[in-house]
Amino acid sequence: MIKLENISKSYINKNRTLTNDVLKSINCSINNCEMIAIKGRSGCGKSTMINILSGLIKPDSGNYYFNSTNITKLSIKEIDNFREKNIGMIVQDYALINSLTARENILLPVKYRKYNKLIINKELEELSKYLNIEDCLDKKISELSGGESQRIAIARALIKKPKLILADEPTGALDSNSEKEVLKLLKMLKEKGNTIIISTHSNVVSQYCDKVFEIVNGIIKKI
């Protein structure tokens, strides 16, 4: 499903004199229906790799293949379409809007898109049952617990039925019990056919994954 060939990415440092080589010639492959952990210390490049996989940023060099399509060669519009059709994202702080209900947050990715409302409402109904959030849908985000908010964020990522779920430190703000609940949900999604890539520093997350990659000094290795 995914193949990265010699992916490198650098950033200008705060003094604008040198570049910080975050990723150096990254090579790895990820198959359909795998749950993958990308480990490493804070600032090692985990989020950069997630953002490259989502198409939010382009690498400085190398090739990123998604189902044989070279994403690095696409135009900005083509990458936006690729992300819209294929990617669901879950972030550490959930990125939910407190003034909206859980239902409204979940439906944000499809609010201004040409989706069949009947199909979307059916998908929302199925997701809410599957994620056990039926009682949360009409509540404001500020009324929800951390675990409930994370499940809402997962539902929002899934509402478009993406092929690939990218999760950037999805359990970093959760207690150990909520973390395990979320990981069990992600594993169930993997078993239903989703491919899931999680950036993390947690050994608990790694235990739930099929493969674990670690980024050290810009280099990735399988562990």
Side-chain angles (χ1 to χ4, degrees), residues 138-157:
D138 295 316
K139 294 181 180 179
K140 295 290 180 67
I141 299 302
S142 57
E143 301 176 58
L144 304 180
S145 68
E148 289 171 335
S149 295
Q150 187 60 289
R151 289 197 292 273
I152 298 302
I154 291 172
R156 183 185 56 192

Side-chain angles (χ1 to χ4, degrees), residues 3-16:
K3 186 176 182 181
L4 301 181
E5 293 182 343
N6 299 316
I7 293 290
S8 296
K9 183 65 180 178
S10 299
Y11 295 103
I12 303 296
N13 69 12
K14 62 182 179 180
N15 296 321
R16 297 185 178 276

Side-chain angles (χ1 to χ4, degrees), residues 45-185:
K46 300 189 301 295
S47 294
T48 295
M49 189 164 170
I50 290 290
N51 287 333
I52 287 173
L53 291 169
S54 70
L56 288 171
I57 63 175
K58 279 195 172 186
D60 297 332
S61 59
N63 295 297
Y64 163 28
Y65 294 95
F66 185 95
N67 289 339
S68 301
T69 298
N70 191 341
I71 304 303
T72 51
K73 302 299 183 183
L74 300 181
S75 67
I76 292 175
K77 184 176 181 179
E78 289 171 330
I79 290 175
D80 287 343
N81 289 334
F82 153 75
R83 188 186 311 109
E84 168 68 21
K85 292 178 181 178
N86 297 287
I87 306 294
M89 295 195 70
I90 306 167
V91 296
Q92 180 176 352
D93 61 359
Y94 319 137
L96 300 172
I97 299 175
N98 288 332
S99 60
L100 300 181
T101 64
R103 183 192 307 275
E104 290 167 333
N105 272 277
I106 293 168
L107 294 175
L108 278 175
V110 298
K111 185 174 182 180
Y112 301 107
R113 305 289 181 176
K114 294 180 180 179
Y115 288 95
N116 185 300
K117 288 187 178 180
L118 290 176
I119 294 175
I120 288 298
N121 286 334
K122 184 178 180 181
E123 180 67 15
L124 176 58
E125 182 181 350
E126 291 176 357
L127 278 175
S128 63
K129 290 179 181 177
Y130 184 68
L131 296 173
N132 193 27
I133 53 173
E134 293 173 282
D135 294 337
C136 300
L137 292 179
D138 295 316
K139 294 181 180 179
K140 295 290 180 67
I141 299 302
S142 57
E143 301 176 58
L144 304 180
S145 68
E148 289 171 335
S149 295
Q150 187 60 289
R151 289 197 292 273
I152 298 302
I154 291 172
R156 183 185 56 192
L158 294 173
I159 193 68
K160 300 182 299 182
K161 291 192 172 181
K163 296 181 178 71
L164 174 64
I165 298 172
L166 299 173
D168 193 4
E169 298 281 4
T171 64
L174 300 178
D175 60 44
S176 59
N177 289 332
S178 296
E179 178 181 44
K180 289 177 182 178
E181 285 182 12
V182 168
L183 289 170
K184 287 177 182 177
L185 284 171

